[in-house]
């Protein structure tokens, strides 16, 4: 077995070990949510939304990729329209869907690889994101998903379809005035760095987050070169507070893992610096750092205020018996991913900040 295959097997074992973590769901009284991102759409503020990243914003691209990192099976999608598992790593909508609604575009952002897409679907935006991807190309390669470079190539293909179907002028408007939303990087730290030995043999965490930041800068420069001008970038969350990390590194009390959180904060500081630098280099563009870390931390530590609680909920295709009956009472849907309720609360905070910059 070669080194790449060995590491791939380790990553896949880690993926499945995370997916079978079980805890008891705790019932609580749910208070009204402060605000709701799924409310009436605002006035249209961009012609389209174009999304890149990982499982947080993958609406089903991995359904069409030869990888085991998929969720096109129950109980995923349990609370989606028609109770359909679309490939979203959630019980319902994901942040890109909420973002499209906040921007006044549409209710759902489809996967670019969905073969049923129409020209109108393309014209108002798609997601190129792939669950399991990262800034580090090794992250995607280990689990055989779409890297950011792959996603950029799909974006170029998308633009050719827009030019052919709508003309150069319409394509130019979509390229320059669309909202670009990027959410990626958690898998680099949680999986590639802490769960496999390859990068740790050559990099300490400071050097590895430097590497991630260099890849991030290259990616955003490429988007700018193609024509993107309104770019919103979600920070890493408090990775150590995800249910999977609490179980694997939080000790008997399942506290947040300090090492993972510190790594996320370290990268976030470098990501923010990259975006500040790009803003100075390209004053005709918006590069907006969107703070997920502190907002999600606030929700985790003040659950009653937001009408939800943190919980680890098992979601597999084998049985629905371990999932909570009412996912709206829980911040997390599975060991890695928030519930639709959690995403809605976060999106209302974060995406509105992005939209306000150019509305």
């Amino acid at each position: 077995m070669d080194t790449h295959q060995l590491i791939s097997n380790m990553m896949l074992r880690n993926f499945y070990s995370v997916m079978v973590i079980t805890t008891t769901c705790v019932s609580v009284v749910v208070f009204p949510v402060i605000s709701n991102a799924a409310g009436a759409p605002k006035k249209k503020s961009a012609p389209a939304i174009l999304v890149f990243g990982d499982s947080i914003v993958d609406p089903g691209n991995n359904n069409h990729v030869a990888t085991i990192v998929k969720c096109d099976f129950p109980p995923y999608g349990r609370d989606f329209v028609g109770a359909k598992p679309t490939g979203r790593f959630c019980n319902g909508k994901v942040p890109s869907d909420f973002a499209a609604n906040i921007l006044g575009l549409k209710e759902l952002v489809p996967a670019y690889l969905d073969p049923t897409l129409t020209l109108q679907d393309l014209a108002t935006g798609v997601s190129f994101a792939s669950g399991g991807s990262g800034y580090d190309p090794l992250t995607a390669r280990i689990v055989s998903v779409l890297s950011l470079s792959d996603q950029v190539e799909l974006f170029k293909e998308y633009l050719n379809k827009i030019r052919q179907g709508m003309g150069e002028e319409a394509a130019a408007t979509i390229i320059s005035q669309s909202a670009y939303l990027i959410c990626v990087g958690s898998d680099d730290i949680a999986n590639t760095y802490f769960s496999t030995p390859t990068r740790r043999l050559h990099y300490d965490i400071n050097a590895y987050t430097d590497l991630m930041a260099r890849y991030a800068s290259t990616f955003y420069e490429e988007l700018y070169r193609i024509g993107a001008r309104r770019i919103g970038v979600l920070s890493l969350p408090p990775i150590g507070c995800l249910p999977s990390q609490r179980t694997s590194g939080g000790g008997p009390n399942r506290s947040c893992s300090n090492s993972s959180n510190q790594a996320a904060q370290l990268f976030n500081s470098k990501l923010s610096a990259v975006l500040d630098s790009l803003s100075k280099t390209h004053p005709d563009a918006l590069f907006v750092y969107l703070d997920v870390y502190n907002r999600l931390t606030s929700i985790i530590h003040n659950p009653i205020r937001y009408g939800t609680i943190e919980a680890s909920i098992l979601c597999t295709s084998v049985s629905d018996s371990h999932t909570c009956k009412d996912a709206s009472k829980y911040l997390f849907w599975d060991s890695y991913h928030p519930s639709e309720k959690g995403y809605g609360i976060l999106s209302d905070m974060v995406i509105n900040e992005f939209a306000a910059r150019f509305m």
Side-chain angles (χ1 to χ4, degrees):
M1 183 181 297
D2 62 26
T3 301
H4 174 70
Q5 185 62 49
L6 176 62
I7 294 170
S8 295
N9 289 346
M10 291 176 65
M11 284 288 286
L12 297 180
R13 284 198 299 271
N14 179 66
F15 176 81
Y16 277 119
S17 69
V18 165
M19 295 304 289
V20 298
I21 293 170
T22 62
T23 62
T24 302
C25 297
V26 182
S27 298
V28 295
V29 176
V30 178
F31 293 85
V33 179
I34 292 175
S35 56
N36 186 358
K42 298 180 179 179
K43 182 179 179 181
K44 185 175 179 180
S45 55
I49 181 170
L50 299 166
V51 185
F52 301 79
D54 57 22
S55 59
I56 301 301
V57 287
D58 178 359
N61 283 310
N62 277 13
N63 296 354
H64 310 282
V65 176
T67 177
I68 66 162
V69 184
K70 299 176 186 287
C71 57
D72 54 345
F73 49 80
Y76 288 95
R78 190 185 71 185
D79 300 307
F80 197 76
V81 179
K84 180 181 179 181
T86 61
R88 288 169 170 82
F89 291 74
C90 186
N91 62 303
K93 295 179 181 179
V94 294
S96 46
D97 300 318
F98 286 107
N101 182 267
I102 289 169
L103 294 170
L105 290 167
K106 52 188 176 183
E107 288 296 316
L108 302 170
V109 177
Y112 174 68
L113 293 181
D114 181 347
T116 68
L117 294 186
T118 65
L119 181 60
Q120 181 57 34
D121 292 327
L122 295 173
T124 51
V126 295
S127 175
F128 307 97
S130 180
S133 195
Y135 285 113
D136 181 354
L138 179 61
T139 300
R141 191 160 65 246
I142 287 172
V143 288
S144 301
V145 298
L146 301 173
S147 67
L148 287 181
S149 294
D150 294 329
Q151 294 177 39
V152 168
E153 290 306 307
L154 291 178
F155 176 43
K156 293 176 182 177
E157 179 182 281
Y158 159 88
L159 292 177
N160 285 334
K161 292 179 181 178
I162 292 294
R163 291 187 182 100
Q164 291 169 10
M166 301 180 66
E168 289 291 342
E169 184 176 347
T173 298
I174 288 173
I175 294 170
S176 64
Q177 296 184 23
S178 288
Y180 292 75
L181 185 67
I182 295 88
C183 179
V184 69
S186 295
D187 289 304
D188 294 320
I189 289 175
N191 293 334
T192 302
Y193 191 78
F194 283 117
S195 298
T196 65
T198 303
R199 292 306 194 197
R200 281 184 287 121
L201 289 173
H202 304 284
Y203 301 89
D204 61 19
I205 192 59
N206 185 55
Y208 184 64
T209 51
D210 281 343
L211 179 71
M212 289 174 62
R214 289 195 295 273
Y215 280 125
S217 180
T218 299
F219 171 67
Y220 295 118
E221 283 281 11
E222 176 67 2
L223 286 186
Y224 178 86
R225 187 193 66 77
I226 294 171
R229 293 297 183 268
R230 297 170 165 183
I231 301 172
V233 183
L234 276 66
S235 76
L236 298 195
I239 295 172
C241 294
L242 301 182
S244 62
Q245 302 304 301
R246 287 187 170 198
T247 299
S248 63
N253 294 325
R254 296 189 71 252
S255 303
C256 294
S257 169
N258 287 332
S259 59
S260 295
N261 277 350
Q262 289 167 3
Q265 288 177 303
L266 181 61
F267 174 71
N268 283 341
S269 67
K270 295 174 182 180
L271 176 63
S272 179
V274 164
L275 297 176
D276 285 344
S277 177
L278 289 169
S279 294
K280 293 174 182 176
T281 303
H282 305 298
D284 60 327
L286 282 173
F287 294 90
V288 184
Y289 175 85
L290 301 170
D291 180 15
V292 172
Y293 188 99
N294 289 304
R295 286 165 169 142
L296 184 54
T297 297
S298 176
I299 295 171
I300 290 170
H301 293 304
N302 302 282
I304 299 298
R305 177 184 176 191
Y306 296 96
T308 186
I309 67 167
E310 183 275 328
S312 305
I313 307 174
L314 173 67
C315 300
T316 71
S317 60
V318 178
S319 170
D320 193 52
S321 62
H322 292 108
T323 61
C324 297
K325 297 301 180 184
D326 184 0
S328 70
K329 295 181 179 180
Y330 297 89
L331 176 58
F332 289 100
W333 167 245
D334 65 18
S335 295
Y336 268 121
H337 306 97
S339 63
E340 179 181 79
K341 173 74 169 291
Y343 279 143
I345 296 169
L346 276 170
S347 297
D348 204 27
M349 298 174 176
V350 176
I351 306 302
N352 274 307
E353 176 189 349
F354 179 39
R357 297 290 294 272
F358 58 83
M359 286 179 67

